[in-house]
Amino acid sequence: TDSAGALLALNSQDGDTRDQALEAFYQQWHAEPLVINKWLSIQAMATFADTLEKVKVLTQHPAYDAKNPNNVYSLIGGFGANQAALHEDEQGAGYQFIAEQVIAIDAYNPQVAGRVLTPLTRWRQFDESRGQLMLQQLKVIAAQPELSSDVFELVQKSIQ
C-alpha cells in the first residue's frame, strides 16, 4: 500500500524518477497479479500527452493479458476513465484506441468489451468536435460483422 501510494504520488511527475519507480515497483511485485493491476492502472491514469502511446506499449508488456478481465479493466478501463488522456488528441486517437480494444475483446469476452465501451457511449456530453469523433468510433464498432449482441445493443442504444 505504501509503495503504491508513493508511486501514485510520482505519477504526475514526468521523468526518470517516475520511470525508475515504475520499474522498481514492477520488479518487486511482478508475481502479485492484484498489485500489478494497480501498476497498470496507475500508468493508464497518467496525465501526460504521451499516455496513450505508453498504454499501447503496455498492451504488449508480459504483465498484461488481454484475456484477463482485471488487466483489461486496469489498463484499458483506466485509460478510458482518464479524461485528460482520452481526450488529449484532437483527432480522436484515444477514441480510436478504445474502439479497437472493444472490437478485439468482443471476440472472446463481450461483457468486458461492453464495459470498455462505456467512455464512447457518453459522446453527447462533449463538445461537437469530440462528440462527433466518439460517435464515429461507435459507428466503426457497429459496422463489425461479428459483433456480439451485448456490444451491438450498447452501441445501438448509444447511437440512437
Side-chain angles (χ1 to χ4, degrees):
T1 302
D2 290 341
S3 59
L7 190 59
L8 189 58
L10 277 173
N11 203 39
S12 63
Q13 307 297 317
D14 199 12
D16 292 340
T17 302
R18 176 181 176 271
D19 294 342
Q20 291 167 1
L22 285 165
E23 182 58 29
F25 187 91
Y26 177 74
Q27 291 305 321
Q28 181 176 359
W29 299 105
H30 69 275
E32 298 292 334
L34 295 176
V35 180
I36 292 305
N37 286 334
K38 185 70 173 170
W39 177 77
L40 290 168
S41 69
I42 286 171
Q43 294 177 81
M45 294 301 294
T47 57
F48 306 117
D50 66 345
T51 297
L52 174 57
E53 295 311 313
K54 290 186 177 184
V55 167
K56 286 179 179 181
V57 169
L58 284 169
T59 64
Q60 304 303 311
H61 193 281
Y64 179 77
D65 178 1
K67 293 190 177 178
N68 177 327
N70 290 330
N71 281 181
V72 173
Y73 297 144
S74 295
L75 185 61
I76 310 305
F79 176 77
N82 182 343
Q83 295 298 298
L86 179 63
H87 304 291
E88 172 75 28
D89 180 65
E90 293 179 8
Q91 304 303 312
Y95 316 140
Q96 181 179 358
F97 174 72
I98 294 292
E100 290 167 353
Q101 295 302 308
V102 167
I103 292 165
I105 295 166
D106 186 54
Y108 53 86
N109 197 329
Q111 292 79 24
V112 172
R115 280 191 57 191
V116 171
L117 173 67
T118 301
L120 296 179
T121 65
R122 299 183 179 127
W123 65 274
R124 288 181 179 90
Q125 298 173 2
F126 294 92
D127 63 76
E128 180 72 17
S129 175
R130 284 184 170 80
Q132 288 304 307
L133 290 168
M134 295 167 85
L135 178 59
Q136 179 182 358
Q137 292 305 316
L138 286 168
K139 289 178 179 178
V140 167
I141 295 168
Q144 297 305 304
E146 301 287 325
L147 203 58
S148 71
S149 59
D150 297 45
V151 172
F152 180 78
E153 182 179 324
L154 287 169
V155 170
Q156 289 304 313
K157 200 181 270 188
S158 177
I159 290 174
Q160 296 175 350

